[in-house]
């Protein structure tokens, strides 16, 4: 009896060790592939057609083919796809870095336009895709789909992925267009996820006007509550770091606290059933405005590059995995008997999302242009085409939502569900590859003078992490001191004082761009009078003897 128990124990241990070894092998291969994506992406950086997203997708497809051949057609995976892996570990660093690096003045200057595109536009696209799918697919033999499935399809294909477009656009060359595409992408993703969760939570058997009112109220609550949670978490981190000033002993604690507080904001949103995307995005904006200026200069450099690196690796990881998952033989087996049906469903969905996007981009742009007095703030027709094109690509958010709706633990045994999964994969691949490859030539054709483009509404973000130009190469602290000197000049311009001269090279441009009685002007007055003295920020950093801030102040005084 003892010998049987011991043999059973050792056999289980062998199975565990074999499984662990297989996981180690898979992780080694995946990390090697990530390194390959980075190297090849760097070599193709100047290519007119390619970008790192498409490179990772192609490498993922090639790797999937190799794994299929080695496994005899059984599997194309190194890792098993999980919605939790995507939403809990990969999405937060991408969205947070987007908020942390964004040029805040340009973003909030176009905030109403961004909300109209990201929220109202997403609802319009959702309606077009859902109604179109419900009307057409009921006449086709694709399996049993319920009302909730059709509404989920609208939410799935309303989620845009503008990574390819943002890799081509430049924040400094086309600030208006970049802020619109970038801002709409973040709000769009949040709106799509909120829509998707609402569809899963609401009882759709009895739909009446009360459901619509309740849904609208729930959406507004999620939007504002998520925004406030992100802002409060960012302010808490700023206050704690300003008061305790960890940098006097260790910059590691400052960096660790910023990272953990950013991730905590996302997890708190998930805990309270809010939108983690909106929460972590606005947490990034608040941290870049207050917290980032309260830490030592070495921590500023570290956090700027650390957040950007985490976001970059997460994006490459996602595209690499999507490429491999596209060849999952199990899902394609269900549609192998009727490939024409699968192609037809994919084509119809692609056409619906193109029509749904055009149905709100051009009318909303026309409405926005009527409300703009300055010609430089209006969205030209060529820019409208770029905005429309940027939202045609679908990515990891659509994949994750489709898996959540139509599979159980990544598997499905229903033909209709399998068709929807394979159609989602097809659209993600086609839109990323074809539309992504054509993005750079299209923008060069429509905006040929983008390198010389400078919107009159542009206001430089001197206090943003994005403005810290190559600090690792400078090797000194003068760059930060100079930046603070320029920031003080900007502050004096807003406050109407003339104690310090504005920097000569950009003084005329800065005066021309100065707001008179805008919302931004009044917010800046409130920020200078109350927020920054309490929570820190540019010009209100803590003073500790022997700190890098004191050295910067001494250097500034020596130069003046």
């Amino acid at each position: 009896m003892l010998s049987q128990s011991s043999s059973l124990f050792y056999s289980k241990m062998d199975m565990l060790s074999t499984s662990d070894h297989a996981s180690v092998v898979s992780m080694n291969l995946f990390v090697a592939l990530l390194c390959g994506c980075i190297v090849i992406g760097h070599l193709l950086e100047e290519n007119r057609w390619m970008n790192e997203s498409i490179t990772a997708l192609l490498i993922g497809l090639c790797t999937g083919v190799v794994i299929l051949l080695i496994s005899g057609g059984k599997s194309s995976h190194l890792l098993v796809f999980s919605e939790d892996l995507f939403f809990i570990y990969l999405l937060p660093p991408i969205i947070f870095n987007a908020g942390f690096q964004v040029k805040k003045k340009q973003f909030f200057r176009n905030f109403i336009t961004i909300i109209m595109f990201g929220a109202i536009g997403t609802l319009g696209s959702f309606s077009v895709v859902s109604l179109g799918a419900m009307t057409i697919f009921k006449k086709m033999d694709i399996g049993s789909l319920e009302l909730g499935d059709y509404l989920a399809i609208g939410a799935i294909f309303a989620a845009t992925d503008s990574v390819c477009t943002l890799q081509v656009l430049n924040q400094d060359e086309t600030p208006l267009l970049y802020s619109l595409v970038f801002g709409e992408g973040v709000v769009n993703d949040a709106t799509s996820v909120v829509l998707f969760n609402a569809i899963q939570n609401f009882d759709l058997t009895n739909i009446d006007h009360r459901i619509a009112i309740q849904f609208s109220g729930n959406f507004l609550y999620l939007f504002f509550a998520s925004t406030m949670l992100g802002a409060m978490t960012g302010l808490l981190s700023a206050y704690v770091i300003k008061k305790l000033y960890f940098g006097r002993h260790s910059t590691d604690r400052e960096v660790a606290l910023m990272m953990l507080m950013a991730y905590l904001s996302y997890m708190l949103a998930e805990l309270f059933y809010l939108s983690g995307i909106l929460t972590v995005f606005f947490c990034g904006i608040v941290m870049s405005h207050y917290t980032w200026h309260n830490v030592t200069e070495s921590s500023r450099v570290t956090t700027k590059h650390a957040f950007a690196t985490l976001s970059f690796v997460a994006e490459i990881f996602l595209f690499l995995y999507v490429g491999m998952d596209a060849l999952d033989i199990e899902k394609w087996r269900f549609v192998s008997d009727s490939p024409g049906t699968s192609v037809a469903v994919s084509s119809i969905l692609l056409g619906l999302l193109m029509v749904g996007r055009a149905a709100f981009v051009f009318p909303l742009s026309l409405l926005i242009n009527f409300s703009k007095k300055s010609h430089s703030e209006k969205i030209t027709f060529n820019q409208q085409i770029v905005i429309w094109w940027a939202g045609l690509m679908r990515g990891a958010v659509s994949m994750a939502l489709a898996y959540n709706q139509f599979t159980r633990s990544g598997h499905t045994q229903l033909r209709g569900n399998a068709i929807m999964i394979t159609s989602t994969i097809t659209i993600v691949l086609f839109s990323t590859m074809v539309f992504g490859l054509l993005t750079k030539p299209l923008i060069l054709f429509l905006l040929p003078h983008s390198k010389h483009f400078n919107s009159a509404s542009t206001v430089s973000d001197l206090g943003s992490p994005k403005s810290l130009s190559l600090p690792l190469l400078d090797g000194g602290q003068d760059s930060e001191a100079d930046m603070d000197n320029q920031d003080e000049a900007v502050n004096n311009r807003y406050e109407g004082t003339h104690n310090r001269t504005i920097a000569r090279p950009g003084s005329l441009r800065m005066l021309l761009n100065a707001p008179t009685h805008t919302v931004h002007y009044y917010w800046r007055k409130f920020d200078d009078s109350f927020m920054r003295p309490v929570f820190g920020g540019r010009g209100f950093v803590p003073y500790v003897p022997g700190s890098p801030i004191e050295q910067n102040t001494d250097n500034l005084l020596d130069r003046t």
Side-chain angles (χ1 to χ4, degrees):
M1 186 69 180
L2 183 62
S3 61
Q4 290 179 351
S5 300
S6 61
S7 63
L8 182 62
F9 172 77
Y10 284 118
S11 63
K12 288 185 177 180
M13 290 299 294
D14 290 338
M15 291 174 63
L16 286 173
S17 62
T18 304
S19 176
D20 291 342
H21 182 70
S23 299
V24 171
V25 171
S26 298
M27 288 304 299
N28 272 280
L29 290 174
F30 211 92
V31 173
L33 288 173
L34 286 173
C35 295
C37 289
I38 294 173
V39 172
I40 296 174
H42 172 72
L43 295 175
L44 297 175
E45 188 173 4
E46 300 300 326
N47 188 279
R48 181 178 179 180
W49 303 88
M50 298 294 290
N51 57 54
E52 284 166 332
S53 303
I54 299 175
T55 302
L57 201 61
L58 286 173
I59 292 176
L61 281 170
C62 295
T63 305
V65 171
V66 173
I67 297 174
L68 275 176
L69 294 175
I70 294 175
S71 64
K74 294 180 180 179
S75 175
S76 65
H77 291 132
L78 288 175
L79 301 172
V80 178
F81 184 85
S82 170
E83 301 95 70
D84 291 339
L85 172 68
F86 171 72
F87 281 110
I88 296 179
Y89 300 108
L90 297 178
L91 192 59
I94 296 174
I95 303 299
F96 176 80
N97 184 66
F100 193 72
Q101 303 283 359
V102 70
K103 287 190 173 182
K104 298 179 289 297
K105 294 183 181 67
Q106 188 67 28
F107 177 82
F108 285 104
R109 184 181 291 274
N110 302 298
F111 188 71
I112 301 299
T113 305
I114 289 169
I115 292 298
M116 290 180 67
F117 278 137
I120 300 174
T122 302
L123 291 174
S125 179
F126 159 78
S127 302
V128 170
V129 175
S130 296
L131 292 174
M134 193 182 306
T135 304
I136 299 173
F137 291 165
K138 283 185 176 180
K139 301 177 182 179
M140 301 174 62
D141 181 25
I142 62 171
S144 59
L145 294 177
E146 300 176 353
L147 176 61
D149 295 324
Y150 290 116
L151 295 178
I153 290 171
I156 289 167
F157 290 104
T160 64
D161 190 329
S162 52
V163 172
C164 291
T165 308
L166 291 176
Q167 288 179 346
V168 178
L169 292 174
N170 189 291
Q171 223 176 159
D172 298 314
E173 296 168 0
T174 54
L176 173 63
L177 188 59
Y178 186 96
S179 66
L180 292 180
V181 172
F182 164 78
E184 187 219 340
V186 175
V187 178
N188 170 278
D189 286 345
T191 306
S192 300
V193 174
V194 169
L195 275 172
F196 185 83
N197 292 334
I199 291 166
Q200 289 190 325
N201 295 330
F202 277 94
D203 181 15
L204 301 173
T205 56
N206 298 313
I207 298 181
D208 54 22
H209 66 281
R210 289 177 298 176
I211 291 291
I213 296 174
Q214 187 179 0
F215 179 83
S216 302
N218 186 46
F219 174 78
L220 292 174
Y221 163 74
L222 286 175
F223 185 89
F224 288 108
S226 302
T227 301
M228 290 302 298
L229 178 60
M232 288 172 61
T233 309
L235 290 175
L236 178 62
S237 69
Y239 186 80
V240 170
I241 290 180
K242 177 177 180 290
K243 287 298 181 182
L244 300 182
Y245 199 71
F246 296 93
R248 78 182 76 181
H249 299 301
S250 171
T251 58
D252 298 339
R253 293 173 183 169
E254 290 182 323
V255 176
L257 188 62
M258 286 186 69
M259 288 185 172
L260 292 174
M261 289 292 286
Y263 190 66
L264 178 64
S265 70
Y266 185 88
M267 297 312 298
L268 283 174
E270 295 297 316
L271 178 65
F272 296 119
Y273 301 101
L274 301 175
S275 172
I277 296 176
L278 279 175
T279 298
V280 78
F281 175 71
F282 281 98
C283 180
I285 289 180
V286 172
M287 276 195 173
S288 69
H289 189 64
Y290 298 107
T291 313
W292 188 72
H293 295 279
N294 293 344
V295 299
T296 59
E297 188 171 357
S298 58
S299 294
R300 296 181 194 180
V301 175
T302 303
T303 51
K304 174 182 178 292
H305 291 281
F307 292 142
T309 301
L310 289 173
S311 173
F312 174 75
V313 172
E315 286 181 4
I316 297 299
F317 184 99
L318 286 173
F319 280 100
L320 183 63
Y321 189 84
V322 166
M324 285 190 291
D325 191 70
L327 299 174
D328 186 5
I329 202 68
E330 176 192 320
K331 301 176 185 63
W332 291 102
R333 189 180 292 117
F334 286 94
V335 298
S336 59
D337 59 334
S338 54
T341 302
S342 180
V343 173
V345 170
S346 301
S347 303
I348 291 169
L349 287 172
L350 189 62
L352 286 173
L353 69 89
M354 293 177 74
V355 172
R357 182 149 184 86
F360 77 84
V361 168
F362 298 105
L364 284 181
S365 298
L366 187 63
L367 181 64
I368 291 165
N369 286 342
F370 275 129
S371 65
K372 298 292 185 181
K373 296 181 179 180
S374 174
H375 181 74
S376 61
E377 294 180 348
K378 293 185 178 181
I379 307 172
T380 65
F381 183 71
N382 285 355
Q383 290 176 333
Q384 293 175 32
I385 295 177
V386 173
I387 294 171
W388 171 76
W389 184 270
L392 295 179
M393 283 165 275
R394 296 297 178 267
V397 175
S398 295
M399 290 278 289
L401 295 180
Y403 270 79
N404 190 298
Q405 177 69 23
F406 296 109
T407 68
R408 297 293 179 270
S409 301
H411 302 282
T412 181
Q413 301 295 326
L414 300 176
R415 183 172 180 271
N417 289 0
I419 288 178
M420 295 315 305
I421 289 291
T422 53
S423 298
T424 304
I425 294 172
T426 302
I427 291 174
V428 169
L429 287 176
F430 181 85
S431 62
T432 304
M433 295 290 295
V434 177
F435 296 157
L437 284 171
L438 296 175
T439 294
K440 189 179 290 187
L442 179 70
I443 291 176
L444 290 175
F445 174 74
L446 293 175
L447 306 172
H449 303 295
S450 61
K451 289 187 177 181
H452 307 287
F453 176 81
N454 220 346
S455 173
S457 63
T458 305
V459 181
S460 60
D461 235 341
L462 297 171
S464 168
K466 200 79 174 176
S467 66
L468 196 57
S469 306
L470 299 177
L472 292 177
L473 300 179
D474 292 339
Q477 297 172 352
D478 290 341
S479 61
E480 190 69 30
D482 293 338
M483 187 176 69
D484 289 338
N485 190 16
Q486 292 176 343
D487 291 340
E488 185 65 29
V490 175
N491 292 339
N492 290 334
R493 173 172 58 86
Y494 277 104
E495 295 170 4
T497 60
H498 304 282
N499 296 331
R500 190 182 296 266
T501 305
I502 298 176
R504 290 267 177 132
S507 59
L508 180 60
R509 177 171 60 85
M510 294 169 74
L511 287 171
L512 290 174
N513 291 335
T516 54
H517 295 289
T518 62
V519 174
H520 179 266
Y521 170 77
Y522 290 114
W523 159 252
R524 187 59 182 261
K525 296 285 287 184
F526 173 74
D527 191 33
D528 291 343
S529 302
F530 175 73
M531 295 296 289
R532 290 198 291 160
V534 175
F535 297 102
R538 189 173 67 245
F540 291 86
V541 291
Y543 178 84
V544 176
S547 68
I549 296 166
E550 183 196 24
Q551 296 172 22
N552 284 342
T553 306
D554 293 340
N555 293 336
L556 181 61
L557 292 173
D558 291 340
R559 285 198 298 271
T560 57

